[in-house]
Amino acid sequence: MTYEKRSDAVEIPENLSLEDKNDWSCHICTLNNPATAEKCTVCQTPRAIDVDSPSSSSYKLNAVVLHQGSAAAAGHYVSNVKEKAGWKRYNDSRVTSIGKVEALSKAKTQAYLLFFVRTS
């Protein structure tokens, strides 16, 4: 199997909002209702809200795992993590303080994983 590393530049959001814009099924009469409906259009049952659902949740970028190397099968991984005191770079056993610009500058082309923390 052959792997290819792609380095397309993408915008990394520091803040992310997700909204559920899907239709929903009434839990009483099972009718499929439009996403904008607050009540079932047939039985008038209020839309049930799932508190674990990210229906209108906000997230903040908390960490970026970067892949440094020219190929997908070879290279080195480092992590930039936002902590209370600022951004830190974890590079094997070495931990250094870095600025926000440095933490996010290479993320556009080297990001392997992005970690977001739910804020609402």
Side-chain angles (χ1 to χ4, degrees):
M1 186 177 276
T2 306
Y3 298 98
E4 176 185 334
K5 181 176 179 181
R6 293 186 59 181
S7 295
D8 299 335
V10 295
E11 289 298 317
I12 306 295
E14 286 186 61
N15 297 298
L16 180 67
S17 293
L18 301 178
E19 269 188 60
D20 186 2
K21 296 187 178 180
N22 296 319
D23 293 347
W24 59 278
S25 295
C26 177
H27 65 280
I28 302 295
C29 71
T30 69
L31 177 79
N32 196 34
N33 291 281
T36 56
E38 296 294 323
K39 292 182 178 182
C40 177
T41 55
V42 170
C43 69
Q44 299 300 309
T45 301
R47 182 177 184 172
I49 303 297
D50 181 1
V51 294
D52 293 325
S53 170
S55 59
S56 60
S57 299
S58 297
Y59 300 82
K60 282 194 172 284
L61 183 64
N62 192 60
V64 181
V65 177
L66 305 171
H67 178 261
Q68 300 171 333
S70 59
H76 182 69
Y77 294 92
V78 298
S79 299
N80 296 338
V81 180
K82 187 175 183 181
E83 297 181 357
K84 289 181 183 177
W87 286 88
K88 302 268 188 186
R89 174 165 293 145
Y90 291 84
N91 186 352
D92 292 333
S93 62
R94 199 167 142 217
V95 179
T96 54
S97 293
I98 58 174
K100 177 179 164 183
V101 172
E102 185 178 352
L104 301 178
S105 64
K106 292 185 179 180
K108 292 181 179 185
T109 57
Q110 295 180 353
Y112 181 72
L113 288 171
L114 303 173
F115 291 90
F116 290 86
V117 173
R118 187 173 179 177
T119 57
S120 68

